Amino acid sequence: MISAAVVAAAIGFVPTAAQAADQPAQRQGSATAAVDSAKAAAARSTVFHSPAERTVRTSASGKAAAPQAAGAAGAAAGAGAAKGNAGLAVDLRASATSGRGFSLASQITTTAGAPVRVDIDWGDGRTDTEHVTGAKLLTSKHTFTEVGKHKVKVTLTDQDNNVTATNSVDVQSLGSKFTPHAPTRLLDTRSGIGGTNHPVTPYGVARVKVGGNSGIPADATAVALNVTVVSPRSGGHITAYPSGTEQPTTSNVNFVAGQTVPNMTIVPVGADGYVELLNRSYGDVDLLADVTGYFSPSASAGGYTSLEPFRIADSRTGQGTWGPVAGQSTFGLQVAGNGAVPASGVTAVALNVTVTAPRGAGHLTVFPTGQSAPDTSNVNFKAGQTIANSVIVPVGPDGRINIRNGAWDPADVIVDVVGYYSPGSKASYIPTTPTRLHDSRDWDFPVEGQDFRWLPLSDDDPAITAFVLNTTVTDTQGSGHLTVAPDPYTYAQRYSGTAPKPTPPNSSNLNWTRGETVPNLVQASTGTTGVIDFWNRGWDRTHLVVDMFGFYDKS
């Protein structure tokens, strides 16, 4: 039986909450430092270089001369009077600064004193012009209108000697956009889907082919996967990470022996097109992995718009559908035009789906209208359990989605919207190395009942619109649920203690009972301040762990 406290919290009734303004600053500052470090590492990983040796020089006669060797170019420049400015050359190095932004370093070699015009063609119809009179390093900034691949060309013109030199560099944006994919199973260790038909051994790895599989392009940068643990032999957790990289210390799915539990993940794809799932437990475990979409540098894909979480369905109150959803039945929900979601142009929607008071064990499947229910699952449950999972689902041509109760018995269903994808949305996704931002166990600093933990994740970067986080509660002292929402007050106001307590939205991200460890993916909006609140809407304290896997950037 579900306690009255859990039911009240799930509906949204919350008594007066503490302000939580007494959080020691150093316990929050570590989150900001970790975010900045992960952002910097992501930018460093995207650098494109075209050396000076590739410069093509055109003589006064209009004929292209052979590219200058670096040594020859340097020697010519040092001589200072080479006929026709034979050392004219440019070395190009471009590095990503944001989802669509780049910094271009142009190292120019030329005869001393010769005036040279520098024309930078960014490849999107825009150009910049500079003038130099000797060897110089020019640094230029540019933000492309769209993500994707671009050719940047730099032309040097020495008008006195009537000679030009051109070099170009191909760049690819750091940010990626989302393409919805019909829910499809890529891995099932029970049946052999994905290439293996046996459980994953203790501390073993299951490899999931993503790039080039099931219509997913080879240049996919990240994938939205629902990972389900089935009948594990012992407790532990699953860690998802890109193939070819170091195994992180973060977790994606936590489980106990015998439990069937899913969790949504957005995980980068390795250079070989694979994602790896590490079984961090002392027992065998079966794994399922269902894809609902992928990120790629395609400009035609959809950007993301984060929203203040809002509820579009609650079968207990008659919102969206009336009464418990019967076993083996499906109900539809209008997404386009609902609340802050536009009436048209939406390709996929980001949801948090909760099942509560199920009369028997089963699963929910969320899928777009206009197609049959796929052989995949989004939320798995047992009788009497309240459990939530993040869902990214394509929207049907009529702007609707379907939710099917695959159990034989009725269950109540709650659906909260946290964002949507559309071609008109500007924010692109930047995956990062999985990074732990907060662990309240480090300071024995649990979140008290009916209290909240605030983290300033992007108060210094308004271009970040949302974070992809895995939030975990552990050492739970009672039942409850977590609500994640942007804080309307700034870091400075929170730090000084002048900000009043905010009002959490009527939504939930994950549910728990006493003694459980429960994770869930959260696409957390940064709101207007970059401060994000994590509400313990239960009556008893719990520890909170927050891991970052990426963020959405509109610049």
Side-chain angles (χ1 to χ4, degrees), residues 82-161:
K83 185 177 181 180
N85 200 347
L88 191 65
V90 59
D91 180 283
L92 303 178
R93 191 177 298 269
S95 57
T97 57
S98 63
R100 295 175 286 116
F102 277 88
S103 176
L104 176 67
S106 304
Q107 179 63 63
I108 298 167
T109 303
T110 180
T111 300
V116 173
R117 189 183 74 210
V118 183
D119 293 305
I120 304 173
D121 182 352
W122 294 101
D124 59 356
R126 288 178 289 179
T127 60
D128 290 328
T129 300
E130 301 272 1
H131 295 273
V132 301
T133 56
K136 187 174 182 179
L137 175 64
L138 287 179
T139 301
S140 310
K141 305 285 186 181
H142 186 72
T143 300
F144 291 98
T145 303
E146 273 297 349
V147 301
K149 298 178 180 179
H150 306 273
K151 180 181 287 292
V152 181
K153 182 172 69 174
V154 176
T155 301
L156 310 180
T157 303
D158 179 349
Q159 294 176 326
D160 288 352
N161 289 287

Side-chain angles (χ1 to χ4, degrees), residues 85-333:
N85 200 347
L88 191 65
V90 59
D91 180 283
L92 303 178
R93 191 177 298 269
S95 57
T97 57
S98 63
R100 295 175 286 116
F102 277 88
S103 176
L104 176 67
S106 304
Q107 179 63 63
I108 298 167
T109 303
T110 180
T111 300
V116 173
R117 189 183 74 210
V118 183
D119 293 305
I120 304 173
D121 182 352
W122 294 101
D124 59 356
R126 288 178 289 179
T127 60
D128 290 328
T129 300
E130 301 272 1
H131 295 273
V132 301
T133 56
K136 187 174 182 179
L137 175 64
L138 287 179
T139 301
S140 310
K141 305 285 186 181
H142 186 72
T143 300
F144 291 98
T145 303
E146 273 297 349
V147 301
K149 298 178 180 179
H150 306 273
K151 180 181 287 292
V152 181
K153 182 172 69 174
V154 176
T155 301
L156 310 180
T157 303
D158 179 349
Q159 294 176 326
D160 288 352
N161 289 287
N162 194 24
V163 63
T164 64
T166 301
N167 196 359
S168 63
V169 60
D170 294 320
V171 302
Q172 180 173 301
S173 63
L174 181 60
S176 298
K177 290 194 171 183
F178 183 76
T179 299
H181 190 287
T184 305
R185 184 148 291 170
L186 300 184
L187 175 73
D188 188 339
T189 60
R190 304 167 304 177
S191 64
I193 295 176
T196 179
N197 59 358
H198 55 79
V200 184
T201 57
Y203 288 86
V205 171
R207 286 170 51 82
V208 183
K209 177 66 171 175
V210 175
N213 187 13
S214 189
I216 301 171
D219 64 350
T221 58
V223 62
L225 284 179
N226 198 64
V227 178
T228 304
V229 174
V230 180
S231 302
R233 281 56 165 179
S234 70
H237 65 269
I238 301 298
T239 296
Y241 59 98
S243 172
T245 64
E246 185 178 350
Q247 294 175 348
T249 58
T250 53
S251 63
N252 296 90
V253 190
N254 296 68
F255 52 86
V256 297
Q259 185 181 28
T260 295
V261 57
N263 198 24
M264 184 72 185
T265 66
I266 296 179
V267 58
V269 178
D272 60 359
Y274 280 83
V275 165
E276 297 190 345
L277 305 177
L278 170 63
N279 171 22
R280 280 200 169 108
S281 77
Y282 292 109
D284 292 350
V285 61
D286 277 306
L287 292 177
L288 317 178
D290 301 324
V291 61
T292 61
Y294 58 88
F295 295 85
S296 72
S298 170
S300 62
Y304 183 66
T305 298
S306 62
L307 300 174
E308 181 91 13
F310 70 95
R311 187 152 290 174
I312 63 170
D314 189 338
S315 63
R316 302 166 303 176
T317 63
Q319 183 181 6
T321 185
W322 183 259
V325 181
Q328 301 295 307
S329 71
T330 300
F331 73 96
L333 285 174

Side-chain angles (χ1 to χ4, degrees), residues 350-354 388-391 414-416 508-510 520-521:
L351 309 170
N352 201 73
V353 179
T354 304
N389 197 18
S390 183
V391 175
I414 304 164
V415 181
D416 299 319
S508 64
N509 294 91
L510 60 87
N520 198 13
L521 180 84

Side-chain angles (χ1 to χ4, degrees), residues 375-438:
D375 185 24
T376 58
S377 61
N378 296 95
V379 186
N380 296 69
F381 52 86
K382 58 186 178 182
Q385 185 180 25
T386 296
I387 187 170
N389 197 18
S390 183
V391 175
I392 299 175
V393 60
V395 175
D398 57 358
R400 296 173 64 84
I401 61 171
N402 286 331
I403 300 178
R404 182 177 185 271
N405 177 11
W408 295 101
D409 301 288
D412 278 305
V413 177
I414 304 164
V415 181
D416 299 319
V417 175
V418 300
Y420 63 88
Y421 298 89
S422 72
S425 299
K426 290 299 183 183
S428 59
Y429 181 63
I430 299 177
T432 64
T433 300
T435 304
R436 181 143 294 175
L437 301 182
H438 182 80

